Amino acid sequence: IESNYSHYYISLSNMASYFDLSESYTSTFFKEHAGENFSTFLESTRMKEAKRLLSETKLSIMEIAEMTGYSSDKAFRRAFKRHTGVLPSALRNSFSDGNLLIQD
């Protein structure tokens, strides 16, 4: 996942097929070993990279959305807000203001 999070088509179903396992077994196995479900782990991985890109680059929100596996900037903004509590643009502005809105 950490190597392929940028692909918008990554899913539990695709991962189960890749390993020739049932989706149910893959889900249970993943949660037992990762400590959280697949979708939560995937979103956390994507958000970690998104926060890094927002703080270290001047890439547009759309570019960051695409680089972190979202098929649209709208879906990315919604996921980012759900995950962090703030919009990506607000977080980016907080870096330049010196008033960091969220912690890693």
Side-chain angles (χ1 to χ4, degrees):
I1 294 170
E2 291 174 343
S3 299
N4 293 291
Y5 68 85
S6 63
H7 302 291
Y8 69 89
Y9 54 81
I10 190 171
S11 68
L12 180 65
S13 177
N14 288 345
M15 189 167 73
S17 289
Y18 179 82
F19 291 108
D20 198 26
L21 300 168
S22 74
E23 197 169 322
S24 175
Y25 177 80
T26 303
S27 177
T28 301
F29 182 87
F30 189 90
K31 187 163 186 171
E32 285 176 2
H33 288 83
E36 58 189 342
N37 69 38
F38 176 85
S39 59
T40 301
F41 185 86
L42 176 60
E43 185 170 273
S44 294
T45 302
R46 287 175 167 172
M47 291 299 119
K48 181 179 177 183
E49 179 63 4
K51 288 186 275 185
R52 186 190 72 76
L53 292 168
L54 286 164
S55 69
E56 296 177 7
T57 73
K58 298 217 182 278
L59 295 168
S60 71
I61 301 298
M62 182 64 192
E63 289 170 313
I64 292 172
E66 290 173 355
M67 292 174 73
T68 55
Y70 290 90
S71 57
S72 74
D73 61 324
K74 184 177 180 180
F76 170 71
R77 289 174 204 274
R78 196 173 342 147
F80 195 90
K81 172 86 176 190
R82 179 178 58 249
H83 187 80
T84 65
V86 298
L87 291 171
S89 56
L91 180 64
R92 173 170 272 164
N93 291 338
S94 77
F95 287 118
S96 61
D97 295 346
N99 299 319
L100 191 58
L101 295 175
I102 60 172
Q103 301 297 319
D104 289 335

